[in-house]
């Protein structure tokens, strides 16, 4: 982080703090502790309202992704992922949990390539290898297999009122990738224990 550029500033809640350094910022809250945030991930978080936005406070420092190319920071309300090919994009709510179910950036859908797009109560988000969406209370993931096929994964039960319980319940397995064009393959919800 190098040298401080500003004194420590008390945030609007009267408790949490932030301080700007030459290489980025450090935010502290009683719930999350102190974490650094910088670069394009910081810029995206700031554009989303920083600690008062949907993501809230950082819950980790910036982490190098397992591929050695990307970076991500987790927050109380989700995460922001960055890679040289895709830029910085947030993932949160039920789409974040569904994406986690498929292995995060190393899984079936890859890194996010766009921010969530809302149309009324529905939301969708583009990833390197497909699209995730929540529509009419159902989660769906669509990804191409080849030029003649696309596979659609769906959770066929309505989404509970809280994102943290939206993909939990029994145990099960993921569907295979051999599916005709746009066939819906039901997922058996399973308890998630996501690892970043």
């Amino acid at each position: 982080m190098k040298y401080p550029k500003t004194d420590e500033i008390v945030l609007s809640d009267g408790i949490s703090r932030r301080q700007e350094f030459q290489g980025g910022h450090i935010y502290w809250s009683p719930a999350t502790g102190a974490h650094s945030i910088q670069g394009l991930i910081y810029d995206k978080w700031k554009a989303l309202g920083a600690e008062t936005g949907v993501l809230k406070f950082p819950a980790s420092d910036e982490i190098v992704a397992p591929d050695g190319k990307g970076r991500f920071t987790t927050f109380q309300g989700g995460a922001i992922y960055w890679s040289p090919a895709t830029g910085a994009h947030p993932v949160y709510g039920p789409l974040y949990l569904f994406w986690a179910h498929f292995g995060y950036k190393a899984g079936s859908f890859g890194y996010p390539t766009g921010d969530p797009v809302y149309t009324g109560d529905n939301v969708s988000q583009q990833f390197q290898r497909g699209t995730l969406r929540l529509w009419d209370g159902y989660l769906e993931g669509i990804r191409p297999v080849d030029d003649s096929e696309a596979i659609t994964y769906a959770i066929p039960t309505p989404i509970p009122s809280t994102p943290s319980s939206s993909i939990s319940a029994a145990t099960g397995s993921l569907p295979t990738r051999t599916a005709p064009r746009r066939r819906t393959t039901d997922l058996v919800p399973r308890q998630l224990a996501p690892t970043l």
Side-chain angles (χ1 to χ4, degrees), residues 11-22:
L11 299 175
S12 60
D13 65 4
I15 301 169
S16 302
R17 308 278 194 272
R18 77 173 168 88
Q19 189 167 5
E20 185 176 357
F21 291 80
Q22 287 179 324

Side-chain angles (χ1 to χ4, degrees), residues 53-132:
V54 67
L55 294 175
K56 301 181 184 175
F57 280 94
S60 75
D61 295 336
E62 185 174 289
I63 299 167
V64 177
D67 63 11
K69 298 175 183 175
R71 307 278 189 274
F72 65 95
T73 299
T74 61
F75 298 84
Q76 288 175 299
I80 295 176
Y81 282 77
W82 171 89
S83 79
T86 60
H89 300 286
V91 188
Y92 52 87
L95 295 185
Y96 183 46
L97 296 176
F98 200 31
W99 184 55
H101 188 77
F102 283 94
Y104 297 96
K105 66 267 172 208
S108 303
F109 289 89
Y111 283 94
T113 59
D115 293 1
V117 176
Y118 285 84
T119 308
D121 291 335
N122 302 327
V123 60
S124 65
Q125 187 166 8
Q126 294 288 87
F127 292 79
Q128 287 175 305
R129 295 184 290 277
T131 303
L132 296 180

Side-chain angles (χ1 to χ4, degrees), residues 22-194:
Q22 287 179 324
H25 302 78
I26 293 179
Y27 280 75
W28 174 87
S29 79
T32 60
H35 296 287
S36 65
I37 182 170
Q38 60 270 335
L40 295 176
I41 290 177
Y42 172 78
D43 293 345
K44 176 60 74 172
W45 179 64
K46 193 77 171 163
L48 293 168
E51 75 278 359
T52 62
V54 67
L55 294 175
K56 301 181 184 175
F57 280 94
S60 75
D61 295 336
E62 185 174 289
I63 299 167
V64 177
D67 63 11
K69 298 175 183 175
R71 307 278 189 274
F72 65 95
T73 299
T74 61
F75 298 84
Q76 288 175 299
I80 295 176
Y81 282 77
W82 171 89
S83 79
T86 60
H89 300 286
V91 188
Y92 52 87
L95 295 185
Y96 183 46
L97 296 176
F98 200 31
W99 184 55
H101 188 77
F102 283 94
Y104 297 96
K105 66 267 172 208
S108 303
F109 289 89
Y111 283 94
T113 59
D115 293 1
V117 176
Y118 285 84
T119 308
D121 291 335
N122 302 327
V123 60
S124 65
Q125 187 166 8
Q126 294 288 87
F127 292 79
Q128 287 175 305
R129 295 184 290 277
T131 303
L132 296 180
R133 64 183 181 174
L134 172 63
W135 56 278
D136 293 338
Y138 293 83
L139 280 171
E140 178 180 74
I142 304 166
R143 66 183 180 89
V145 176
D146 59 32
D147 290 341
S148 64
E149 291 183 318
I151 188 165
T152 300
Y153 303 102
I155 293 182
T157 56
I159 301 304
S161 58
T162 60
S164 62
S165 61
S166 62
I167 310 176
S168 62
T171 58
S173 60
L174 295 176
T176 64
R177 49 175 302 200
T178 56
R181 189 173 205 23
R182 309 284 297 183
R183 187 186 86 183
T184 297
T185 305
D186 293 342
L187 287 178
V188 178
R190 65 177 183 173
Q191 182 68 40
L192 285 180

